[in-house]
Amino acid sequence: MEYVDPNYRDRVYLPSQDDGIDIKEYLYKYIEREFPEAEDGKNAVYSVPSKFKKCGEKQASLAEQVVFTRLRGLAEPSLLRGLSVTFFHSASYAGHSFRNQRVGKLMIREHDFVIFAKYCGKYYIALAEVKSTYDGTKTINNVDITSDAKVIKNNKRSAQHQLRDHIEVLQGVLNLNPDENIIQCYIMWPFLSALTRDPKQNVMRRWKEDSNLHVFEDNLSDQNNFSRWFCDNILSTNGICEKHFITLLNRYTILSCGVFVDEINQGMLALLTQEQLELITNDVCTRPGRGPMVVHGAAGTGKTLLVLRKLQQLYQSGQLDENNRALYICYWPGIRCEMEQKLKFLGMDRFVDTSRFYISQSGFLQRNSKKYKHIFMDESEAICLAFDATIIAKTTSTIFQRYHDGNCSMLNCRETNFTDHLFNNCESVLNCNNDKWGELWFLVDINQASLFLPKHSPQMLKTPCIVLNKVMRSTGYIFNIFKQYYSNPMPKLPESMLAGMNLSDICMGHHILGPPIFWVSPEEESDTQCTVVRVVIDLCATKGFKPNDVCIIPFLVNDKYVPESINKRIGDYFVENGYKPRGVGDVENFLSNREVNDFLIAWALRVKGLEFKVVVMVIEEDDFDAKDAEDRKKTYIMASRCTCMLILVSPKSIKDNIDLSNVMEKYPFNLHL
């Protein structure tokens, strides 16, 4: 979890649990600090998340935003003074169902709003389901009218079923008798009038037989009306005992781990080093014959981010437009998909094309005849996987040719044969008389390059113009564990390349310690898959994480970690035809669609250059050899994909080989489902 300063000036991560800390005492202290009671004459209102987040369909989000705003508005004392309120919005949870054929099975639900209130020494809890039905009694822009009485009645019935499910689970948490109605329930209709007409067209109160259940537009359209309703209804009951109040507040605080992770992820700014900043702001190819910019960097040093920022700088300075286009090239489809989404978000996608290169065919850019002012080749080291000098030469020659044609203004220019220079020094390749050349960058991941770059590779890739040695993605806890993998030079590299890499100098690019690393040991050494499934269910069912926050990366891929196998085991825990986490293996499809119940299962190289809020790294017995350089680098690539939480699932022997400083925390969550 995370503490967020009220003024958003600082962000600190709360320490994780271990066996020596009583979780109840810890949560009490956390709540006292984060949600203090109202001072005399003032109201204290807290919301989790702190700002409204749109979710679901547009009209449903609009309705929920009205309720969110009204609850936040309770902070302004009018009728009420000394009121303390904490409310949770869109908290996901799972509980066991005890109806019909579902006995003992999990079902995942999502609360619209859960409201905790303390007033005049009494405690209150209310659940609110929000419906966006609109009957058109007032003019509301962008909201569709629903006049069908049957649809309205079905929405009412649906909300009642949802509230019943919520109450069933919470009564189980508190060990309450089903007849004890100490938790209030309401259905809120921000766009629906409290008045309707009977078959004879007489105006009457809507659903007057259970009017206390419903909160209509007249009470939600105005803050004073809502505050009055809140006082007359929620605060007029007998309330709930302090013990139950604290138990459920603790539960929803833990359930909001997913919300806190969202805020951590958004608040993590990718800081650039001074060297990177100079590379972005300075012109690096302003004269002919200077040659390409070759950038070396370890995993997580921000190479792809650097390209994105450079494109943004070119766009803002007027050097990237329809007449000065750019081409971004990479090898893995996932990183291409991610880059396309970011370019679209920044509004540059219409001026930047993307393409993949291949290691088994030489027809690179065969269907693309465009000329480019700027070209950026990411993952350049992967071209050497071809082990075919002809393919390597043809691909690289095509890049030089398109770059030349996009920059040289001389008609019928017969430029030097680029292929002749590719395996030598290319300083003199671009000799055309041009005022200003665009950017030509080749980015090399030294983790991968150390394994195969010296073979069949152009000389230019071995001579970096700049070496990025500050790790930007990984935060302190992760980096401090895995930095050991750079303490010794990587094998089989020429002395000239080792000197340029400065592997022993790799360090943190910022001072953020970041999220902790948790370790969980398989309950049975022979069944790691079962533990992985339980971790995913625990994250999504009891901690409020969305499945698409999670990526599982097995050290070695086998039949146990294909989506079909994982999904079958997950299905054994849940009710049929209900919402449940679902593993997918297609990286591009996952990134493009971001279905709410999908989580990704992918091997390490497939997610190269990508990042995920939560990474579950799975290493089975005998998979990992701490003395093997390739194994060490692979574990770092896997670990450096996460931004907010890393979970290692492995036997203790592997954990001890990796965690030399003994800083990993034991996984504190409940896996007994």
Side-chain angles (χ1 to χ4, degrees), residues 294-298 303 444 446 461-462 464 466-468 497 501:
V294 178
V295 180
H296 282 187
K303 297 182 295 298
V444 177
I446 61 174
L461 296 185
K462 303 177 185 178
I466 183 174
V467 178
L468 304 179
M497 193 170 181
M501 286 185 177

Side-chain angles (χ1 to χ4, degrees), residues 288-290 397-421 426-434 437 440:
R290 183 163 183 171
S397 177
T398 301
I399 292 172
F400 272 94
Q401 186 69 59
R402 298 301 178 84
Y403 175 70
H404 166 266
D405 293 347
N407 283 274
C408 181
S409 58
M410 298 172 59
L411 296 175
N412 301 318
C413 174
R414 295 187 177 277
E415 185 53 73
T416 307
N417 187 314
F418 301 121
T419 308
D420 293 342
H421 295 261
C426 57
E427 287 286 333
S428 60
V429 170
L430 304 171
N431 294 314
C432 299
N433 184 18
N434 187 23
W437 289 80
L440 177 59

Side-chain angles (χ1 to χ4, degrees), residues 547-616:
N548 58 30
D549 291 338
V550 180
C551 177
I552 296 175
I553 311 178
F555 192 84
L556 293 180
V557 179
N558 54 46
D559 290 344
K560 292 192 296 184
Y561 302 114
V562 296
E564 295 78 15
S565 180
I566 294 287
N567 291 339
K568 184 178 184 304
R569 296 201 72 154
I570 288 177
D572 293 340
Y573 290 97
F574 285 89
V575 299
E576 295 295 328
N577 303 318
Y579 171 92
K580 57 191 170 189
R582 179 184 65 183
V584 297
D586 188 320
V587 178
E588 285 182 282
N589 184 59
F590 176 82
L591 294 174
S592 299
N593 297 321
R594 291 286 185 182
E595 296 291 342
V596 68
N597 65 322
D598 286 350
F599 63 90
L600 183 63
I601 307 171
W603 60 299
L605 291 181
R606 286 283 181 183
V607 293
K608 228 175 133 284
L610 307 180
E611 57 185 32
F612 305 88
K613 296 173 187 174
V614 181
V615 167
V616 181

Side-chain angles (χ1 to χ4, degrees), residues 223-436:
Q223 184 62 52
N224 288 331
N225 288 349
F226 181 79
S227 298
R228 188 176 294 106
W229 172 88
F230 194 91
C231 180
D232 293 343
N233 290 270
I234 290 182
L235 303 183
S236 65
T237 64
N238 294 327
I240 190 171
C241 73
E242 183 179 8
K243 177 184 176 182
H244 291 337
F245 181 89
I246 292 176
T247 297
L248 291 184
L249 182 57
N250 287 345
R251 182 179 193 271
Y252 281 96
T253 300
I254 295 175
L255 269 176
S256 296
C257 285
V259 173
F260 297 139
V261 161
D262 285 340
E263 295 184 348
I264 292 169
N265 191 65
Q266 292 170 359
M268 285 280 205
L269 300 178
L271 308 176
L272 299 179
T273 64
Q274 184 63 34
E275 194 171 33
Q276 289 172 310
L277 188 61
E278 291 176 357
L279 186 58
I280 288 177
T281 55
N282 294 340
D283 292 327
V284 297
C285 294
T286 56
R287 68 179 187 273
R290 183 163 183 171
M293 172 63 65
V294 178
V295 180
H296 282 187
T301 50
K303 297 182 295 298
T304 305
L305 172 68
L306 195 60
V307 172
L308 192 67
R309 293 305 186 202
K310 184 60 184 180
L311 285 167
Q312 192 174 24
Q313 185 264 335
L314 291 171
Y315 176 61
Q316 292 172 347
S317 62
Q319 301 176 67
L320 178 65
D321 52 38
E322 190 59 51
N323 298 319
N324 296 280
R325 300 186 62 81
L327 174 66
Y328 173 80
I329 308 165
C330 62
Y331 177 64
W332 292 104
I335 196 169
R336 178 187 183 185
C337 182
E338 182 88 343
M339 178 61 83
E340 287 176 341
Q341 290 183 5
K342 290 178 178 177
L343 289 169
K344 185 174 182 179
F345 176 78
L346 294 171
M348 300 186 296
D349 55 314
R350 63 190 186 279
F351 303 134
V352 183
D353 295 330
T354 65
S355 179
R356 292 181 59 201
F357 62 89
Y358 299 90
I359 61 175
S360 59
Q361 60 188 53
S362 58
F364 177 63
L365 291 183
Q366 193 169 12
R367 298 181 181 180
N368 180 350
S369 58
K370 295 179 182 178
K371 305 171 184 179
Y372 292 99
K373 181 73 174 179
H374 314 285
I375 296 181
F376 299 83
M377 186 177 187
D378 206 351
E379 306 178 293
S380 299
E381 76 287 345
I383 195 173
C384 305
L385 288 170
F387 295 107
D388 185 325
T390 303
I391 293 178
I392 296 172
K394 180 63 176 175
T395 300
T396 317
S397 177
T398 301
I399 292 172
F400 272 94
Q401 186 69 59
R402 298 301 178 84
Y403 175 70
H404 166 266
D405 293 347
N407 283 274
C408 181
S409 58
M410 298 172 59
L411 296 175
N412 301 318
C413 174
R414 295 187 177 277
E415 185 53 73
T416 307
N417 187 314
F418 301 121
T419 308
D420 293 342
H421 295 261
L422 295 181
F423 292 90
N424 301 298
N425 194 316
C426 57
E427 287 286 333
S428 60
V429 170
L430 304 171
N431 294 314
C432 299
N433 184 18
N434 187 23
D435 292 336
K436 185 174 181 179

Side-chain angles (χ1 to χ4, degrees), residues 186-238:
Y186 299 98
I187 304 174
M188 297 192 173
W189 308 81
F191 308 140
L192 188 65
S193 171
L195 302 176
T196 186
R197 292 180 180 274
D198 63 15
K200 296 182 179 180
Q201 296 301 304
N202 297 316
V203 176
M204 58 180 289
R205 294 285 300 178
R206 191 188 301 271
W207 303 322
K208 56 184 177 181
E209 71 280 1
D210 55 0
S211 58
N212 288 337
L213 175 66
H214 302 281
V215 188
F216 294 108
E217 177 268 338
D218 55 337
N219 283 319
L220 287 162
S221 61
D222 178 84
Q223 184 62 52
N224 288 331
N225 288 349
F226 181 79
S227 298
R228 188 176 294 106
W229 172 88
F230 194 91
C231 180
D232 293 343
N233 290 270
I234 290 182
L235 303 183
S236 65
T237 64
N238 294 327

